[in-house]
Amino acid sequence: MKNKNKRKDGKNTKVKHTMKHPPSRGLNPSHSKSNLYATTQKLLECEVTEVQRILFEAFSPERSDALRADPRAFTMFSTRLRKQKQWEKCIQVFNLQQQLGVERNTISFNAVMSAAIKGKKPKYALELFAEMKKIGLDITTITINVAMQAHLKLNEPNKALELFDALEEKDTVSLNTAMAAAEIAGDDDRLAQLRDKNRSGGAADVKRNFVDGDDNDDDADVEEGEDDSSLSSCSSSEGDDEDEDEEERRSRIKKMKKNQQKQEEEMRLRNSAVDTNDEDDADLALQKRR
């Protein structure tokens, strides 16, 4: 059988794994993968109060199929919980990740910030944003987008716009969120400016590192022959969650446009009522027309 990793000069081109530990999980990788799926299912079905017990049992060194302290396992937990809209569990899993000695990276912070906003905890999302900057994690476009949304939830549009202005690589999500912030702030000039920029394609299509960015390179380093589908599937399912976020943003923009059209129609009817001779009261004429 031909070795795909061999070059013409006979040297092996396969890149050795660069992680501190190999990607196998536990003493028996196949058994550990079963434990990963079982743990995920338990987290989906349990009460919030049982999350800690389930995770500590799954990572217990006394088990032969114990899960290794791999951030990708927690990425999977977070993804599945967010898909089921179990925001509180997602936050608790993130907090337990540190207690279990598992590294928390930009991807895990972005995910829990998003969950916190949807779980009506935008202040906590901004606390995590501050922590990311304090410990020196990479602040990506997705990170800023989520932080902007948190400020909007707290009715702080100007702070959201400040983050937008400081953002070097802006995408369409950044622009949409900034437009919503400008409208909430009542800054019509800024809103018009952002709309013009959006129409002209001023936003760059940046890489979605929330789904599969630089911090997820570990998945690409899995040694050939090892079945790691349980973890690599995290990227695709996080994409589904991001699509859900995009759908919410489109719905919000659509609602904004609908309200604007309604206001324009009311203004047109008011002007028309003023011009009529049969009614002296413009508001009364408007009511009759409705």
Side-chain angles (χ1 to χ4, degrees), residues 191-254:
L191 180 59
Q193 179 187 11
L194 291 169
R195 282 176 175 167
D196 290 340
K197 187 173 184 179
N198 194 27
R199 293 192 194 99
S200 63
D205 284 328
V206 299
K207 190 174 185 180
R208 287 187 173 183
N209 26 2
F210 179 45
V211 181
D212 54 357
D214 296 337
D215 296 291
N216 216 18
D217 286 345
D218 289 346
D219 285 343
D221 292 333
V222 176
E223 293 180 353
E224 185 176 335
E226 180 181 0
D227 183 4
D228 200 49
S229 58
S230 60
L231 291 178
S232 60
S233 63
C234 295
S235 296
S236 60
S237 47
E238 285 203 17
D240 295 337
D241 186 78
E242 186 69 11
D243 291 338
E244 179 184 332
D245 292 344
E246 183 65 24
E247 184 177 348
E248 291 179 1
R249 284 186 284 269
R250 288 176 180 175
S251 176
R252 184 175 66 248
I253 296 299
K254 185 177 180 181

Side-chain angles (χ1 to χ4, degrees), residues 31-43:
H31 291 172
S32 183
K33 187 167 68 173
S34 299
N35 185 18
L36 180 66
Y37 281 113
T39 302
T40 304
Q41 195 61 33
K42 288 179 181 177
L43 289 172

Side-chain angles (χ1 to χ4, degrees), residues 117-134:
I117 293 172
K118 292 180 179 179
K120 300 181 180 180
K121 293 184 177 181
K123 286 186 178 180
Y124 180 61
L126 291 176
E127 289 175 6
L128 293 172
F129 179 50
E131 184 179 351
M132 288 183 70
K133 293 188 289 186
K134 182 178 180 181

Side-chain angles (χ1 to χ4, degrees), residues 23 33 54 75 81 94 130-131 133 144-145 152-153 157 166 175 185 190 204 216 220 260 263 288:
K33 187 167 68 173
I54 291 172
T75 300
L81 290 170
F94 174 81
E131 184 179 351
K133 293 188 289 186
I144 298 298
N145 290 344
L152 290 187
K153 291 290 185 180
L175 273 174
R190 185 67 188 278
N216 216 18
Q260 183 179 2
Q263 292 174 1
K288 288 186 176 182

Side-chain angles (χ1 to χ4, degrees), residues 18 26 31 38 55 62 70 85 92 100 114 122-123 146 150 153 173 182 186 195 206 219 241 257 280 283 290:
T18 57
H31 291 172
L55 287 181
E62 297 178 359
D70 191 331
K85 304 184 187 302
Q92 190 168 356
L100 289 165
S114 176
K123 286 186 178 180
V146 177
K153 291 290 185 180
V173 176
R195 282 176 175 167
V206 299
D219 285 343
D241 186 78
K257 290 181 179 179
D280 294 331
D283 290 331
R290 287 177 179 172

Side-chain angles (χ1 to χ4, degrees), residues 3 17 59 87 95 101 121 125 145 153 164 178 194 197 278:
N3 188 349
H17 206 283
F59 285 87
W87 316 123
N95 292 332
K121 293 184 177 181
N145 290 344
K153 291 290 185 180
F164 176 80
L194 291 169
K197 187 173 184 179
D278 56 338

